[in-house]
């Protein structure tokens, strides 16, 4: 029998070539992992009011999301680069295992009496550790796609992953609400366990281990430390700016520390034998432009998504119980856009048309949002969501494809993590800036409309409109203790609606300007043909 007759039939043409069985098992494991990490963000949000009530943690509830953001953002570039040096498989499996274990710890928060802190602190610590696992999974999933498929094929499959993320965002709130109401809020975390175990088995059994050759196996500890000391103060400052303001000593000090450590990080990367984020990547205009565009996408698009439900609830009067489904049209359109952009990239063998068309749709959607006011119909909001969502779906996979197509093979992990990392930072910056715009205008307009003589103690809870839905029961109890208090509460809530209109409108206008500039940026993005076929030097599949 000839050698050719016994060679396995490969169905992928990337650095790591897979048989049909390996491809199916690997894709199943990766998609389940992405589903886990994305579902966790939406399913937990619905359960938060019940969690806060049971664990008595209202004063610390923002940290449940903030600490996850911190650790996952840091984990993305660190472990992506380590996988360039030591291989993807075991880091990815470690991320899955960490995520599963910490999901169990999150679900057990408040019952672990052997720990020296209360239930809410147990949850916050567990969520921080869970973010490390989630960042490892999300950062490496798209890198593995880059290893397995040629650049021309990647957009097609990355579109499916973006669609998985969108579907999780759609069904997560509904599933979280059902589990919270019929089982327990703890089930929102425990549901990760069986899915995660299946993902681990699939990757362990079907994804081959591949160890990169020709790299120095040294860890850039100075880069790791300086990156952490730069990103953590930045994210903390941007998180606290809504509460303390840009001029507060706390925020200014953290931003100054972040800038100082960024300079240290850049200097360290220039000297490192195996830098955490190789600065040579940014000499390529496609990579540097895509990184900037990813940041702007996160800032202009993802920041505004937070305020769409607030507009629907606070201005148009949609009930809070329906809030989990408010973004469904946007996310469904995003799924369609993600799948379409993959097919476009595959057929046209270039990513630029998807980048330009996607950015135009997002800018158009933001302009439609900017035209909304108190008289806007639900149908007009729906059209804006469909237009913006379609553009978002088209644009999200583009930058990963462009960067992977331009990056050298030895930097594939670090390069693949760049779009996700930049989007994460950009969305945090966007939320901070938009939050400042909203609160500054809202507080001024609300103070002008408040009835004279209203006690300051009654006005104080209205300082942050984002909190009103969560504290409505406490407001009813507080105002019931005053003569004609409930009518006053009704009047103040009406003033909230009027004050929100102006602040949210300014957010949408700002986002429309940002995303219009993004169209120009994408027109300037250099186009390069997507490579197709197996590389000349192939790594062994086992």
């Amino acid at each position: 029998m000839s050698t050719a007759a016994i060679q396995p039939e490969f169905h992928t043409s990337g650095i790591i070539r897979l048989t049909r069985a390996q491809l199916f098992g690997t894709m199943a494991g990766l998609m389940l992992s992405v589903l886990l990490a994305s579902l966790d963000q939406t399913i937990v949000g619905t359960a938060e009011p019940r969690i806060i009530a049971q664990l008595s943690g209202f004063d610390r509830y923002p940290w449940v999301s903030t600490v996850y953001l911190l650790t996952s953002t840091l984990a993305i570039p660190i472990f992506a680069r380590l996988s360039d040096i030591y291989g993807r498989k075991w880091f990815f499996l470690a991320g899955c295992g960490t995520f599963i274990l910490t999901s169990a710890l999150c679900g057990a928060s408040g019952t672990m009496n052997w720990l020296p802190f209360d239930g809410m602190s147990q949850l916050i610590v567990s969520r921080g550790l869970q973010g490390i696992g989630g960042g490892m999974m999300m950062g490496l999933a798209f890198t593995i796609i880059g290893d397995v498929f040629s650049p021309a094929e990647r957009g097609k499959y990355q579109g499916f992953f973006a669609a998985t993320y969108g579907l999780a965002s759609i069904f997560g709130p509904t599933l979280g609400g059902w589990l919270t109401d019929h089982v327990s809020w703890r089930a929102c975390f425990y549901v990760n366990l069986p899915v995660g175990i299946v993902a681990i088995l699939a990757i362990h059994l079907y994804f081959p281990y591949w160890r990169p050759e020709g790299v120095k196996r040294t860890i850039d500890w100075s880069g790791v430390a300086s990156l952490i000391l730069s990103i953590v103060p930045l994210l903390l400052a941007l998180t606290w700016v809504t509460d303390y303001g840009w001029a507060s000593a706390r925020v200014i000090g953290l931003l100054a520390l972040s800038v100082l450590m960024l300079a240290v990080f850049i200097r360290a990367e220039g000297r490192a034998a195996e830098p955490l984020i190789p600065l040579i990547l940014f000499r390529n205009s496609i990579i540097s432009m895509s990184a900037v565009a990813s940041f702007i996408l996160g800032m202009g698009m993802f920041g505004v998504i937070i305020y769409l439900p607030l507009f629907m609830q606070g201005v148009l009067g949609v009930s809070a119980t329906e809030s989990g489904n408010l973004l469904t049209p946007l996310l469904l359109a995003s799924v369609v856009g993600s799948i379409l952009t993959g097919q476009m990239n595959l057929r046209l063998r270039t990513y630029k048309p998807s980048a330009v068309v996607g950015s135009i749709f997002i800018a158009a959607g933001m302009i439609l949002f900017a035209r909304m006011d108190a008289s806007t119909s639900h149908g007009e909001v729906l059209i804006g969501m469909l237009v913006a969502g379609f553009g978002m779906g088209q644009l999200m996979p583009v930058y990963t494809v462009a960067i992977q197509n331009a990056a050298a093979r030895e930097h594939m992990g670090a390069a693949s993590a760049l779009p996700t990392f930049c989007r994460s930072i950009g969305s945090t910056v966007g939320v901070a800036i938009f939050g400042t715009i909203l609160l500054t205008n809202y507080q001024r307009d609300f103070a002008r409309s408040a009835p004279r003589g209203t006690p300051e103690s009654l006005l104080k809870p209205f300082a942050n409109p984002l909190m009103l839905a969560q504290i409505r029961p406490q407001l009813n109890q507080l105002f019931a203790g005053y003569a004609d208090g409930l009518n006053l509460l009704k009047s103040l809530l009406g003033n909230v609606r009027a004050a929100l209109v102006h602040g949210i409108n300014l957010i949408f206008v700002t986002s429309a300007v940002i995303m219009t500039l993004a169209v120009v940026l994408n027109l300037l993005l250099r186009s390069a043909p997507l490579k197709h076929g197996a590389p000349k030097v192939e790594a062994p599949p086992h």
Side-chain angles (χ1 to χ4, degrees):
M1 185 178 292
S2 66
T3 304
I6 61 173
Q7 286 291 323
E9 182 184 355
F10 294 120
H11 287 262
T12 63
S13 57
I15 298 170
I16 303 175
R17 305 190 68 188
L18 304 181
T19 64
R20 182 184 295 275
Q22 288 176 324
L23 174 61
F24 179 81
T26 298
M27 289 295 290
L30 292 177
M31 292 187 75
L32 284 174
S33 301
V34 171
L35 178 67
L36 270 182
S38 52
L39 188 65
D40 187 73
Q41 292 297 293
T42 53
I43 195 174
V44 174
T46 313
E48 267 195 5
R50 196 75 58 86
I51 295 172
I52 293 164
Q54 185 167 340
L55 299 182
S56 302
F58 183 77
D59 58 324
R60 289 166 287 165
Y61 95 92
W63 282 100
V64 175
S65 300
T66 299
V67 72
Y68 187 97
L69 172 68
L70 278 170
T71 54
S72 61
T73 301
L74 285 168
I76 289 169
I78 291 173
F79 288 99
R81 183 54 181 157
L82 288 176
S83 74
D84 276 337
I85 301 173
Y86 297 102
R88 322 279 189 223
K89 181 171 183 175
W90 297 113
F91 281 112
F92 190 83
L93 289 175
C96 291
T98 300
F99 192 86
I100 293 172
L101 176 61
T102 51
S103 293
L105 293 177
C106 288
S109 296
T111 65
M112 297 180 287
N113 298 325
W114 44 273
L115 289 175
F117 36 85
D118 65 10
M120 194 65 180
S121 297
Q122 292 173 17
L123 177 61
I124 291 169
V125 171
S126 299
R127 284 283 285 172
L129 295 173
Q130 189 185 41
I132 296 174
M136 292 171 72
M137 289 194 302
M138 290 296 286
L140 291 178
F142 292 100
T143 306
I144 290 174
I145 290 297
D147 289 337
V148 171
F149 300 101
S150 67
E153 298 170 316
R154 287 172 199 160
K156 173 183 174 181
Y157 291 96
Q158 285 167 336
F160 291 138
F161 278 84
T164 300
Y165 180 86
L167 289 172
S169 301
I170 293 169
F171 296 113
T174 303
L175 177 60
W178 188 88
L179 288 173
T180 302
D181 291 338
H182 295 88
V183 185
S184 166
W185 64 263
R186 300 181 188 278
C188 295
F189 294 105
Y190 291 143
V191 74
N192 293 336
L193 274 61
V195 180
I197 290 172
V198 172
I200 285 178
L201 289 174
I203 294 296
H204 178 67
L205 294 174
Y206 293 102
F207 182 63
Y209 172 67
W210 172 65
R211 183 176 176 131
E213 299 297 334
V215 295
K216 299 175 182 177
R217 289 184 168 83
T218 58
I219 298 176
D220 177 20
W221 290 113
S222 60
V224 171
S226 54
L227 179 68
I228 291 173
L229 292 174
S230 176
I231 297 301
V232 170
L234 174 65
L235 295 183
L236 288 177
L238 294 172
T239 300
W240 283 336
V241 74
T242 304
D243 296 323
Y244 299 100
W246 291 97
S248 69
R250 178 185 302 216
V251 171
I252 292 175
L254 287 170
L255 290 175
L257 176 60
S258 177
V259 171
L260 174 63
M261 295 313 301
L262 176 61
V264 174
F265 173 73
I266 293 173
R267 183 177 177 83
E269 296 307 271
R271 296 181 170 186
E274 287 292 334
L276 185 64
I277 300 179
L279 300 182
I280 194 174
L281 289 173
F282 297 100
R283 295 179 185 174
N284 186 304
S285 63
I286 294 175
I287 295 177
S288 57
M289 189 77 80
S290 295
V292 172
S294 296
F295 176 86
I296 291 176
L297 175 63
M299 181 179 172
M301 186 64 208
F302 292 95
V304 82
I305 286 176
I306 292 178
Y307 297 100
L308 274 173
L310 181 62
F311 180 85
M312 296 288 285
Q313 293 177 39
V315 177
L316 300 187
V318 174
S319 67
T321 56
E322 298 172 342
S323 63
N325 300 318
L326 290 178
L327 296 177
T328 297
L330 184 146
L331 294 167
L332 282 173
S334 175
V335 170
V336 174
S338 296
I339 295 174
L340 181 61
T341 196
Q343 296 300 325
M344 285 178 61
N345 292 344
L346 183 62
R347 292 177 183 276
L348 301 176
R349 297 288 171 85
T350 181
Y351 47 81
K352 186 164 182 175
S354 296
V356 174
V357 172
S359 61
I360 290 173
F361 268 93
I362 293 181
M366 293 298 102
I367 292 171
L368 290 174
F369 290 146
R371 297 176 68 246
M372 297 191 306
D373 55 29
S375 63
T376 298
S377 67
H378 290 195
E380 290 172 307
V381 180
L382 173 64
I383 293 172
M385 285 186 177
L386 291 175
V387 172
F390 181 78
M392 183 176 72
Q394 279 216 305
L395 206 53
M396 278 184 64
V398 163
Y399 301 125
T400 302
V401 172
I403 287 175
Q404 288 181 336
N405 190 58
R409 189 194 316 177
E410 63 268 21
H411 298 146
M412 185 62 71
S416 300
L418 266 181
T420 306
F421 180 70
C422 292
R423 273 200 307 269
S424 179
I425 300 296
S427 64
T428 309
V429 172
V431 169
I433 292 175
F434 294 154
T436 301
I437 293 172
L438 172 66
L439 291 180
T440 300
N441 288 276
Y442 163 81
Q443 290 168 356
R444 184 192 62 223
D445 293 347
F446 181 79
R448 289 175 179 172
S449 63
R452 289 186 177 181
T454 304
E456 185 64 28
S457 60
L458 296 184
L459 295 177
K460 189 175 181 181
F462 291 87
N464 189 343
L466 299 175
M467 300 288 296
L468 292 177
Q470 287 93 331
I471 65 173
R472 184 61 188 272
Q474 292 92 319
L475 284 176
N476 289 334
Q477 184 178 359
L478 175 64
F479 278 78
Y482 289 81
D484 203 30
L486 293 180
N487 285 330
L488 175 60
L489 174 59
K490 184 177 179 181
S491 174
L492 290 175
L493 289 173
N495 295 342
V496 167
R497 178 174 180 267
L500 279 176
V501 170
H502 184 218
I504 295 179
N505 180 258
L506 285 175
I507 289 175
F508 293 152
V509 170
T510 305
S511 184
V513 172
I514 291 172
M515 295 315 301
T516 301
L517 293 175
V519 175
V520 178
L521 194 65
N522 282 285
L523 286 170
L524 297 175
L525 179 65
R526 184 160 58 89
S527 180
L530 292 175
K531 303 166 189 172
H532 190 68
K536 294 180 180 179
V537 181
E538 296 176 13
H542 294 284

